[in-house]
Amino acid sequence: MPGDGIGPEVIAEGIRVLDAVSEVMNFELNWVKYPFGADHYLATGELLPESALQEMGKHKAIFMGAVGDPRCPEGVLEKGILLALRFYFDEYINLRPVQLLEGVATPLKDKTAKDIDFLVVRENTEDMYIGIGGRVKKGKSRQNLELLRTLYKIKFGLDIDSDHEEIAYQLMVISKGGAERAIRYAFQLAYDTGRKKVTSVDKANVLTYTYGFWREIFNKIKQDFPDVQTEFNYVDAVTMWFVKNPEWFKVVVTPNMFGDIITDLGAMIQGGLGVAAGANLNPEGTSMFEPIHGSAPKYKGLDKANPVATIMAGSLLLDTIGEKKAATLVEKAVREVLKQRKVLTPDLGGTSTTSQLGQAISKKTTEIGASF
Ligand code: NAD
Ligand code: IPM
Ligand code: MN
């Protein structure tokens, strides 16, 4: 599903590389293309029909570019397509590796590839993303108004009618099951990958109900993993530590909202949004793979966007569908091309185009694949 903006350009390169690896490794990939995104929405009014969701559920994985377009109101495509997919398939893990690859520059002084190598597990279905909220205007929505009037009176002694003519509110929810499955996944990942430290990132010092609950669950689950070291960081402090001491982190687990924010920072320390990949996982169901960046409208159609994030998401896709060797091969090809620093897009300091970099990685895949 290419989507909007630079989505189609980067997905084309992702598909090019996955096709190359399937050929050299002797397995078949069948693609089904879905048109959903801004153009389709503007032409038909349709976002993502239930029938398409049902059909997608029969596939092994979804490979997705990005959605979001300045011609559409904020959030319509993001909620109606991207979040709809994550929720429909209950992709409760958003796995976002933060890995500095050799040949890519980090803005962090004196840090190298061995210092920037950790995995962020972002809870992907709840927290502030549940979409429950509203706007209350004087004289409208009596039911909501009554509730809020009572809450405001108790909490602040304020009378909504006179002090707050209009308010907006959005709820955040952490459920026991939702937090447990994300935190347990992070511990298991730490255990399985030998990265035996898990850092919980939250704001339990202020949002005590929700994130206090998250910590309680973290403390309970850690008892099942006695060899894994643990640590708590508040989200404000973690933005400092990601910059100052990224080498401290092995596996980070965090609720949805902070996970969104800190993984763009994570992307920057590994060389930018152009190289940062992500996987929306339902380990028991349909998963979706995408770069963590968006549709970058300013680069649309310019053949300038970096396809590496999408190609690395393709490697995560292969790993998840059981083509482990192919996944490793793609990663190896990306690493080699970047290390040579000959074919690079402008964000990495080069002058090559999206397709030139995609082609170089695809060629490298075929080359090293022959003796892999
Ligand atoms: P963005 O990630 O699209 O782009 C921010 C900036 O990062 C770009 O202007 C560019 O300088 C750089 N960048 C991003 N991808 C790059 C690439 N592949 N190569 C080189 N540079 C790259 O974020 P934004 O500008 O905040 O959002 C644009 C639109 O995308 C919005 O509509 C937003 O809602 C949407 N969005 C979608 C997704 C998604 O579909 N997964 C994710 C994030 C944002
Ligand atoms: C991301 C994006 C999405 C999110 C938006 C576009 C809904 O920022 O994948 O990080 O907030 O999760
Ligand atoms: Mn984001």
Side-chain angles (χ1 to χ4, degrees), residues 136-153:
V136 184
K137 220 174 182 163
K138 197 176 167 184
K140 296 249 172 78
S141 319
R142 296 311 307 178
Q143 205 184 348
N144 279 344
L145 186 60
E146 286 314 318
L147 171 71
L148 285 172
R149 182 183 282 141
T150 311
L151 290 174
Y152 263 69
K153 199 84 199 167

Side-chain angles (χ1 to χ4, degrees), residues 65-106:
V67 292
D69 188 294
R71 293 170 295 168
C72 302
E74 273 97 35
V76 170
L77 305 165
E78 290 85 343
K79 286 169 75 176
I81 299 176
L82 180 69
L83 295 182
L85 279 159
R86 288 180 185 165
F87 293 161
Y88 183 86
F89 292 115
D90 197 22
E91 292 162 348
Y92 58 90
I93 300 298
N94 196 331
L95 179 63
R96 297 185 155 181
V98 178
Q99 248 179 333
L100 176 65
L101 304 180
E102 240 183 286
V104 176
T106 173

Side-chain angles (χ1 to χ4, degrees), residues 20-27 315 318-319 323-336 363-372:
V21 76
S22 73
E23 196 173 320
V24 72
M25 302 291 290
N26 265 314
F27 62 92
S315 169
L318 292 170
D319 189 71
E323 296 293 345
K324 306 262 176 209
K325 229 177 140 188
T328 310
L329 175 56
V330 169
E331 190 186 326
K332 209 167 147 62
V334 169
R335 283 177 183 275
E336 290 205 13
K363 199 166 148 240
K364 185 63 78 184
T365 303
T366 308
E367 248 170 59
I368 53 183
S371 56
F372 201 64

Side-chain angles (χ1 to χ4, degrees), residues 50-180:
E50 172 78 22
S51 57
L53 285 164
Q54 281 178 14
E55 208 183 288
M56 286 179 191
K58 295 184 191 131
H59 301 312
K60 275 208 159 172
I62 301 167
F63 199 27
M64 150 104 187
V67 292
D69 188 294
R71 293 170 295 168
C72 302
E74 273 97 35
V76 170
L77 305 165
E78 290 85 343
K79 286 169 75 176
I81 299 176
L82 180 69
L83 295 182
L85 279 159
R86 288 180 185 165
F87 293 161
Y88 183 86
F89 292 115
D90 197 22
E91 292 162 348
Y92 58 90
I93 300 298
N94 196 331
L95 179 63
R96 297 185 155 181
V98 178
Q99 248 179 333
L100 176 65
L101 304 180
E102 240 183 286
V104 176
T106 173
L108 303 188
K109 188 165 158 277
D110 301 333
K111 300 294 179 189
T112 63
K114 68 172 185 359
D115 300 311
I116 301 174
D117 182 6
F118 60 93
L119 303 170
V120 178
V121 175
R122 167 187 178 191
E123 196 290 320
N124 212 25
T125 57
E126 45 187 48
D127 196 16
M128 259 172 270
Y129 278 72
I130 53 167
I132 299 177
R135 295 270 294 257
V136 184
K137 220 174 182 163
K138 197 176 167 184
K140 296 249 172 78
S141 319
R142 296 311 307 178
Q143 205 184 348
N144 279 344
L145 186 60
E146 286 314 318
L147 171 71
L148 285 172
R149 182 183 282 141
T150 311
L151 290 174
Y152 263 69
K153 199 84 199 167
I154 295 169
K155 188 79 189 173
F156 306 113
L158 291 178
D159 181 344
I160 282 182
D161 273 347
S162 60
D163 297 295
H164 297 265
E165 297 246 306
E166 189 173 5
I167 39 178
Y169 65 100
Q170 187 126 15
L171 298 182
M172 60 194 291
V173 169
I174 300 289
S175 74
K176 181 165 178 281
E180 266 179 6

